[in-house]
Amino acid sequence: EAQVTQNPRYLITVTGKKLTVTCSQNMNHEYMSWYRQDPGLGLRQIYYSMNVEVTDKGDVPEGYKVSRKEKRNFPLILESPSPNQTSLYFCASSPSDRNYNVLTFGAGSRLTVL
Amino acid sequence: EDQVTQSPEALRLQEGESSSLNCSYTVSGLRGLFWYRQDPGKGPEFLFTLYSAGEEKEKERLKATLTKKESFLHITAPKPEDSATYLCAVAAGGTSYGKLTFGQGTILTVHP
């Protein structure tokens, strides 16, 4: 089944404890992206990657890091999480042709930072 | 800065009562406008892409239209299973080729 898989789905952590949210897709998509979704603010783009070793900032990149060493994986790293990073996170992917904004989303990862 | 505004924030309909959702956008060179549906506890699911003013797309009870300033998602004779949050997003031209800006969404509830 074609899908985007995120882990963990739920995580409660404490301020300053480094964490990584993994994202993997099995559709051979070139484009991958991370979003956070907050009540009243909608989906906001954190980082995106057009292909392996190519990443760029979205609208809210502060406090996050990403890497794209392999085509299928695009992990989101929070080096020193803070409570304002408590949110619902979505990873998404798409092909690189004209349909590259036709995103397939993962099921989401709900992160709570205490 | 690209901006997307959706209205209304929430819409309650009776089954069979047709209506429209609005997505207004400000972007420097629209490359595409996208509609997604999001069910509670799930990731958004793609519905439509519109590329140029005057374009229309249909899928079952949904029809999306596009002008130079806004897009409408028309829902004809909705059913309870159409209840969801509908998200609009725009992709702009220029150097930010991979950026996608979403609106806040419209929460649609269809009562039997």
Side-chain angles (χ1 to χ4, degrees):
Chain A
E1 179 188 355
Q3 60 185 0
V4 176
T5 303
Q6 298 179 224
N7 281 297
R9 293 289 315 281
Y10 302 91
L11 179 63
I12 300 174
T13 189
V14 295
T15 300
K17 186 176 181 181
K18 180 180 179 179
L19 68 92
T20 299
V21 186
T22 64
C23 174
S24 180
Q25 50 94 3
N26 62 0
M27 295 165 283
N28 200 37
H29 284 169
E30 288 79 12
Y31 178 90
M32 298 184 75
S33 186
W34 276 102
Y35 296 85
R36 59 178 291 174
Q37 188 172 38
D38 302 288
L41 296 176
L43 275 166
R44 293 180 292 168
Q45 192 172 32
I46 303 171
Y47 270 96
Y48 62 93
S49 169
M50 301 293 285
N51 214 322
V52 175
E53 301 292 358
V54 180
T55 63
D56 210 343
K57 296 177 181 179
D59 293 317
V60 288
E62 295 79 17
Y64 305 95
K65 286 177 58 178
V66 293
S67 67
R68 188 91 181 275
K69 293 183 172 60
E70 304 168 282
K71 196 173 188 178
R72 63 182 293 127
N73 295 322
F74 191 43
L76 180 69
I77 303 160
L78 286 73
E79 293 271 4
S80 183
S82 62
N84 65 12
Q85 293 179 297
T86 292
S87 187
L88 178 59
Y89 291 87
F90 288 101
C91 180
S93 73
S94 73
S96 63
D97 58 16
R98 193 187 191 198
N99 291 320
Y100 80 86
N101 282 133
V102 177
L103 298 169
T104 300
F105 281 85
S109 296
R110 185 167 292 281
L111 172 64
T112 301
V113 183
L114 301 175
Chain B
E1 182 181 335
D2 303 333
Q3 287 191 326
V4 180
T5 303
Q6 292 187 243
S7 61
E9 291 186 10
L11 180 64
R12 293 187 174 190
L13 300 174
Q14 288 297 127
E15 184 171 3
E17 180 187 1
S18 301
S19 188
S20 296
L21 312 182
N22 178 263
C23 171
S24 298
Y25 63 90
T26 304
V27 64
S28 55
L30 179 73
R31 284 190 299 99
L33 184 140
F34 308 85
W35 283 97
Y36 286 82
R37 168 190 170 129
Q38 185 175 21
D39 293 304
K42 296 187 177 181
E45 181 180 337
F46 170 76
L47 291 173
F48 302 110
T49 305
L50 301 166
Y51 291 107
S52 57
E55 190 174 358
E56 298 182 351
K57 294 277 180 71
E58 284 189 68
K59 180 180 180 181
E60 295 181 355
R61 295 176 293 282
L62 300 176
K63 179 180 178 180
T65 62
L66 181 65
T67 72
K68 289 187 177 180
K69 294 183 178 180
E70 58 191 349
S71 176
F72 291 94
L73 185 65
H74 306 278
I75 303 175
T76 302
K79 298 182 178 182
E81 53 261 42
D82 294 323
S83 297
T85 298
Y86 290 86
L87 302 170
C88 170
V90 297
T95 57
S96 301
Y97 202 64
K99 283 195 66 180
L100 192 63
T101 302
F102 280 83
Q104 295 179 337
T106 293
I107 303 170
L108 173 66
T109 306
V110 182
H111 297 283

